Amino acid sequence: MKYEKLQHSVHSIPPTPRNGLGRTALMVMTSDSRKIPVSVLIPVKNEEANLPACLNSVAVADEVFVVDSQSRDRTEEIAESYGAKVIQFYFNGRWPKKKNWALTNLSFRNEWVLIVDGDERIPPELWEEIAEVIQNSDYDGYYLNRRVFFLGTWIRHGGRYPDWNLRLFKHKKGRYENLGTEEVPNTGDNEVHEHVILQGSVGYLKKDMLHEDFRDIYQWIERHNRYSNWEARVYYNLLTGKDDTQTIGAKFFGDVVQRKRFLKKLWVWLPLKPMLRFILFYIIQGGFLDGRAGYIYARLLSQYEYQIGVKLYELRSFNGQLNPAKKLPTLPTSVSPPDS
């Protein structure tokens, strides 16, 4: 069965409707157009700036879940106005994190699930392809390629494209890997750079999804400060040979993600990584072709690599503390009264 050509535009609804919040969006979500039998999972926290465009781009899906972490902005209000099902997630500081918890505990009415972050969009041409491929019984999941936009520019070079992520799969067959980082403080409650382990065969889609954050540089730096905590622990685990049986594995002749993990195992041993990161991104992989945005992105990635290195040193030398804890002198348990 083929689905009619999708008519919804990603930008047909403004990011933050001022009058009658979400009224137009709700009409889109509940219109008579054909729905695609896919359940969309959107993990969020404080995403009011990005969520309207994201939800508008998935309006043709049969079901949309927004899994929130007690946002303090209008995230929940916006999600409900678009007709999405809002679920609150309470992280206990241990496994599982948000996406795996949702995959296990939500009652999806469709076999296929599509995972989309709040700052991502699914263009109409990608939905057309999704509607076709989910009818193919030869595959249990699909990698989606992602275009990253930064300062209004598509970062096409510097190794940022292609950027494959396994986001569309049969929800009973896929779970995110466990890299042993869930107890690292100040990293958040969501799987960000972990990948899906799929029990089945995988294909690749031709059309791209979009990653475009409408917030500012402050938010980018704040987010990557948290990510560097996570990355430092990943580096530490790789350097110390931590058991990786619950991960996708590192294979040079594996799929694109396993090959990337293999190269990362080599990368962690290199010296001068902040400088190498800039040279690799900006010069060797052509980041300079993306103009001023490419240069700024390269500098920020170099800074990010330096943060990872400092936190890795802190982790290895001081057990993840800024300074080693000093042993306090032992106080007497009791004081004898003076002789009378």
Side-chain angles (χ1 to χ4, degrees), residues 284-304:
I284 298 176
Q285 295 180 314
F288 64 90
L289 295 172
D290 293 321
R292 181 178 291 271
Y295 175 75
I296 295 172
Y297 200 81
R299 289 293 302 269
L300 287 173
L301 286 182
S302 177
Q303 174 183 311
Y304 175 55

Side-chain angles (χ1 to χ4, degrees), residues 247-310:
T247 74
I248 59 170
K251 301 177 182 178
F252 183 75
F253 294 106
D255 62 27
V256 291
V257 175
Q258 291 173 320
R259 185 161 55 251
K260 190 174 181 180
R261 183 66 55 77
F262 175 85
L263 295 175
K264 190 167 191 173
K265 291 185 76 170
L266 301 179
W267 171 262
V268 298
W269 292 97
L270 297 178
L272 305 175
K273 284 190 283 293
M275 182 179 68
L276 291 176
R277 187 86 178 250
F278 179 85
I279 293 173
L280 180 65
F281 178 93
Y282 192 68
I283 300 175
I284 298 176
Q285 295 180 314
F288 64 90
L289 295 172
D290 293 321
R292 181 178 291 271
Y295 175 75
I296 295 172
Y297 200 81
R299 289 293 302 269
L300 287 173
L301 286 182
S302 177
Q303 174 183 311
Y304 175 55
E305 193 68 51
Y306 182 75
Q307 287 180 264
I308 296 171
V310 170

Side-chain angles (χ1 to χ4, degrees), residues 89-97 101 182-183 189:
F89 172 68
Y90 297 88
F91 186 45
N92 63 5
R94 297 180 179 275
W95 193 257
K97 286 192 172 183
W101 178 89
E182 63 273 8
E183 295 185 29
D189 63 358

Side-chain angles (χ1 to χ4, degrees), residues 27-315:
M27 292 173 61
V28 172
M29 293 290 288
T30 58
S31 69
D32 294 331
S33 61
R34 300 289 294 275
K35 295 290 186 178
I36 296 175
V38 170
S39 296
V40 175
L41 170 60
I42 308 175
V44 297
K45 183 174 183 179
N46 298 328
E47 284 283 3
E48 66 177 5
N50 291 312
L51 195 55
C54 176
L55 286 169
N56 185 46
S57 78
V58 300
V60 295
D62 174 63
E63 181 178 48
V64 178
F65 285 98
V66 171
V67 183
D68 186 28
S69 297
Q70 302 84 59
S71 292
R72 296 181 179 180
D73 61 5
R74 297 165 61 244
T75 291
E76 183 174 6
E77 178 188 357
I78 292 170
E80 289 177 344
S81 74
Y82 275 75
K85 301 176 182 179
V86 180
I87 308 294
Q88 291 296 332
F89 172 68
Y90 297 88
F91 186 45
N92 63 5
R94 297 180 179 275
W95 193 257
K97 286 192 172 183
K98 188 185 296 183
K99 292 176 186 175
N100 266 353
W101 178 89
L103 288 169
T104 300
N105 291 281
L106 297 186
S107 298
F108 299 109
R109 65 173 176 236
N110 299 290
E111 181 181 31
W112 289 86
V113 65
L114 174 65
I115 299 180
V116 184
D117 289 339
D119 54 6
E120 295 174 337
R121 330 276 176 252
I122 307 297
E125 60 271 18
L126 178 53
W127 272 119
E128 293 176 28
E129 187 177 12
I130 289 172
E132 294 294 328
V133 299
I134 60 175
Q135 302 173 61
N136 185 347
S137 60
D138 293 336
Y139 295 100
D140 301 294
Y142 291 91
Y143 278 103
L144 276 65
N145 200 3
R146 187 171 65 164
R147 297 188 185 188
V148 174
F149 287 83
F150 182 76
L151 295 177
T153 301
W154 174 20
I155 305 299
R156 189 171 184 172
H157 306 90
R160 294 301 296 161
Y161 187 85
D163 181 20
W164 294 105
N165 293 268
L166 184 55
R167 297 292 193 85
L168 176 67
F169 54 93
K170 296 177 181 178
H171 69 85
K172 292 183 179 180
K173 295 192 174 186
R175 292 293 184 272
Y176 280 84
E177 62 182 339
N178 183 354
L179 292 172
T181 62
E182 63 273 8
E183 295 185 29
V184 179
N186 302 314
T187 58
D189 63 358
N190 188 34
E191 300 90 342
V192 177
H193 298 143
E194 291 91 341
H195 293 281
V196 173
I197 300 175
L198 189 72
Q199 305 300 321
S201 55
V202 183
Y204 294 81
L205 299 188
K206 297 177 182 178
K207 304 300 182 181
D208 296 341
M209 67 188 301
L210 309 178
H211 180 283
E212 186 174 15
D213 194 339
F214 293 147
R215 295 169 295 185
D216 55 20
I217 291 291
Y218 172 88
Q219 296 291 338
W220 191 99
I221 293 174
E222 188 275 335
R223 187 166 66 250
H224 282 75
N225 185 33
R226 287 188 286 107
Y227 293 171
S228 62
N229 289 353
W230 182 91
E231 288 279 11
R233 173 66 71 172
V234 171
Y235 279 29
Y236 180 81
N237 291 345
L238 291 174
L239 290 168
T240 57
K242 183 179 175 64
D243 177 51
D244 64 353
T245 55
Q246 297 186 64
T247 74
I248 59 170
K251 301 177 182 178
F252 183 75
F253 294 106
D255 62 27
V256 291
V257 175
Q258 291 173 320
R259 185 161 55 251
K260 190 174 181 180
R261 183 66 55 77
F262 175 85
L263 295 175
K264 190 167 191 173
K265 291 185 76 170
L266 301 179
W267 171 262
V268 298
W269 292 97
L270 297 178
L272 305 175
K273 284 190 283 293
M275 182 179 68
L276 291 176
R277 187 86 178 250
F278 179 85
I279 293 173
L280 180 65
F281 178 93
Y282 192 68
I283 300 175
I284 298 176
Q285 295 180 314
F288 64 90
L289 295 172
D290 293 321
R292 181 178 291 271
Y295 175 75
I296 295 172
Y297 200 81
R299 289 293 302 269
L300 287 173
L301 286 182
S302 177
Q303 174 183 311
Y304 175 55
E305 193 68 51
Y306 182 75
Q307 287 180 264
I308 296 171
V310 170
K311 292 177 180 181
L312 176 61
Y313 174 75
E314 177 189 58
L315 189 62

